[in-house]
Amino acid sequence: MKKRETFFVGLMLFSMFFGAGNLIFPPFLGSGAGTSFWPAMIGFIVTGVGLPLLVVSAIALVKNGANELGSRVHPWFGAVFTLLIYLSIGPFFGVPRNANVAFEMGFNPLMAGSSFSQSLLLLGFTALFFFFVFLLSLYPSKVVDLMGKVITPTLLISIVTLFLIGFFRLDKSFEAPNETYQTASFFKGVIDGYATMDALAAMAFGIVILTAIKQKGVTEHKQLRSYTVKAALIAGTALALVYTGIGFMGTQVAGQETFDNGSEVLSTAVTLLLGNNGKILLGFIFTLACFTTCVGLTIACGQYISKLSEKLSYRGVVFLVTLASFLIANLGLNQIIEVTIPFLVMLYPLTIVLVTLPFIDRFFGGSRGVYRGTMAFTGFVSIYNGLEMLGFHVEALSSFMSVLPFASLDLGWVVPAFVGGLLGFLWDQFSHNKVRKENPQIERAS
């Protein structure tokens, strides 16, 4: 591949990543972090950029994507876990959330004063939105050129224009951080980065990027891995710069009013800069960003799920994904987010552990016990924490979880993950030695 082609594949990956959460959370962080902006933003970039890059790189190391990684724990775990990832970033949470944000920020402000009800406006908008998502998703091979060469440059130019205007016109000193960011602001930023869902999306996008590179004529696995990592670095660099820019804009409107979310922060900043007409530019940015992410996620779901059964065609899966996303999107943004956060708390630690292990695989000889022990102990903590957010509560378990190291930073799963991996490794060694003692011929043969 030429450098130019790699660059456009990287831009395509950026546009697929850059959706609702990427626009909402950095400015909200900026408005709350104030003088703690830089450590909080660095923490955000660690999980909002670093983790997705790590995931894409891990996917590039194996031949069959996320399913192969999960199968190192157990084939059934690989199938179920991967399917949950695709459903969560696709029709259940990720795609409907993006469509709702596009409606709230891109279309709804233009209909202020309309006699139509919000539910009817949302229905009409999402019907048209998902119609175009469906059409574009039918031709994944053409998406690389369209997103990389047309849509993404347009999106980046719009965002950079907005940031530069804000940088030169807004010159306010940083406010004191609010209560959330007064202590451990770096770790709060790390947790904020979870909410973008990009680490989960990267499990799917890694395959989309590999497929796009193969369509350029690259077939050798080492080259595929190299080009995938290069594209991921291009996308990651663009994400980090954009996060920092719109996060900075959030610091400039802090203290003016109480904000409930990042879209309100950006809307206030744009109104200060460009007046009410600025909301049109912001709406365009939100709609374009959310649309490209929905297309990328739909393609990823279509490519993966259609391979699970010969009875499922790619076009049929794309239709079902867009239909389900359309129906769930009409439940409303608040209801979707309410369920999304606990689900992310369950899945994110498992995803982090699963994509980290391949990079240190050689140090424990690929022991299946390490994979199983690490995932079991991590899952015990993360799944309970997620269930607790949904209202499930056991006093003894909650007390135990609260005293785990780093629990106050929402990282209580870290030490259990290490302990589980160590126990799994020791169990494998014990089992291996026991087999050798019971079957001396194995020792002689080796």
Side-chain angles (χ1 to χ4, degrees):
M1 282 174 60
K2 298 177 181 178
K3 291 182 179 179
R4 182 171 175 269
E5 291 177 316
T6 307
F7 178 72
F8 283 130
V9 172
L11 289 185
M12 172 197 172
L13 181 58
F14 165 82
S15 67
M16 289 193 299
F17 274 133
F18 196 73
N22 312 75
L23 278 163
I24 289 174
F25 297 111
F28 196 54
L29 178 150
S31 68
T35 53
S36 298
F37 172 72
W38 289 112
M41 179 51 65
I42 291 171
F44 186 91
I45 290 173
V46 167
T47 47
V49 177
L51 268 181
L53 294 187
L54 183 69
V55 173
V56 172
S57 300
I59 296 298
L61 287 175
V62 297
K63 293 183 178 180
N64 296 313
N67 199 19
E68 182 177 331
L69 288 178
S71 294
R72 295 184 180 187
V73 180
H74 190 277
W76 276 106
F77 176 86
V80 173
F81 182 75
T82 306
L83 185 60
L84 284 175
I85 292 290
Y86 276 91
L87 291 177
S88 66
I89 62 174
F92 287 177
F93 305 127
V95 174
R97 184 180 75 171
N98 275 280
N100 264 274
V101 172
F103 169 76
E104 294 287 350
M105 296 302 300
F107 181 75
N108 204 28
L110 301 178
M111 300 300 293
S114 170
S115 59
F116 295 104
S117 66
Q118 286 290 103
S119 58
L120 189 59
L121 289 173
L122 178 61
L123 181 67
F125 174 83
T126 51
L128 191 62
F129 183 89
F130 282 114
F131 173 73
F132 285 108
V133 168
F134 172 71
L135 284 183
L136 198 57
S137 300
L138 292 179
Y139 307 98
S141 61
K142 297 180 180 179
V143 167
V144 177
D145 289 335
L146 183 60
M147 284 191 177
K149 297 179 181 179
V150 180
I151 296 178
T152 306
T154 303
L155 179 61
L156 279 173
I157 290 170
S158 302
I159 295 172
V160 170
T161 300
L162 186 61
F163 169 66
L164 289 176
I165 294 173
F167 183 78
F168 288 108
R169 290 192 180 180
L170 299 175
D171 189 23
K172 177 186 174 185
S173 299
F174 287 1
E175 297 272 332
N178 62 25
E179 185 178 350
T180 304
Y181 295 94
Q182 285 178 0
T183 58
S185 56
F186 170 81
F187 291 102
K188 181 60 175 67
V190 167
I191 301 303
D192 288 343
Y194 281 3
T196 64
M197 295 184 73
D198 281 349
L200 300 182
M203 299 284 279
F205 289 160
I207 297 299
V208 176
I209 294 303
L210 282 169
T211 302
I213 293 173
K214 287 177 182 177
Q215 289 171 346
K216 298 290 184 181
V218 180
T219 55
E220 202 273 322
H221 187 66
K222 186 176 180 180
Q223 284 188 323
L224 280 171
R225 185 168 67 242
S226 175
Y227 285 125
T228 300
V229 172
K230 288 177 182 178
L233 288 173
I234 292 168
T237 301
L239 284 171
L241 292 174
V242 170
Y243 288 158
T244 304
I246 58 179
F248 170 81
M249 291 183 68
T251 67
Q252 299 299 291
V253 297
Q256 294 201 10
E257 57 181 277
T258 302
F259 300 108
D260 292 327
N261 53 60
S263 60
E264 292 181 1
V265 176
L266 270 183
S267 182
T268 300
V270 169
T271 302
L272 280 174
L273 291 171
L274 303 171
N276 289 328
N277 291 332
K279 292 182 179 180
I280 298 175
L281 174 61
L282 186 62
F284 173 76
I285 292 172
F286 266 89
T287 302
L288 196 58
C290 293
F291 179 78
T292 55
T293 297
C294 287
V295 171
L297 291 172
T298 302
I299 289 173
C301 290
Q303 290 180 342
Y304 174 74
I305 297 175
S306 63
K307 291 178 181 178
L308 294 180
S309 172
E310 295 179 356
K311 297 180 180 179
L312 297 172
S313 68
Y314 172 78
R315 291 194 169 204
V317 174
V318 167
F319 174 76
L320 291 175
V321 168
T322 52
L323 178 61
S325 300
F326 165 71
L327 295 174
I328 294 175
N330 279 276
L331 295 175
L333 185 59
N334 291 336
Q335 286 80 1
I336 294 170
I337 291 177
E338 189 176 336
V339 179
T340 300
I341 299 302
F343 201 75
L344 291 178
V345 169
M346 296 182 200
L347 281 182
Y348 246 90
L350 288 168
T351 303
I352 293 170
V353 170
L354 187 61
V355 300
T356 301
L357 289 175
F359 292 97
I360 57 174
D361 189 276
R362 64 181 182 275
F363 295 112
F364 54 84
S367 165
R368 191 178 290 270
V370 172
Y371 279 88
R372 290 177 174 176
T374 306
M375 296 298 283
F377 277 57
T378 303
F380 177 77
V381 176
S382 64
I383 291 173
Y384 179 77
N385 287 339
L387 291 174
E388 194 172 37
M389 293 181 72
L390 291 171
F392 179 81
H393 182 78
V394 177
E395 186 62 37
L397 278 177
S398 296
S399 300
F400 171 73
M401 296 296 180
S402 66
V403 298
L404 287 172
F406 313 118
S408 61
L409 304 173
D410 292 323
L411 297 170
W413 54 270
V414 172
V415 172
F418 178 80
V419 172
L422 180 60
L423 291 176
F425 179 76
L426 293 175
W427 175 261
D428 260 11
Q429 294 301 306
F430 171 77
S431 300
H432 185 66
N433 291 333
K434 184 178 179 181
V435 169
R436 283 181 176 273
K437 288 179 181 179
E438 294 177 351
N439 300 276
Q441 66 274 17
I442 295 178
E443 185 72 39
R444 289 194 298 271
S446 62

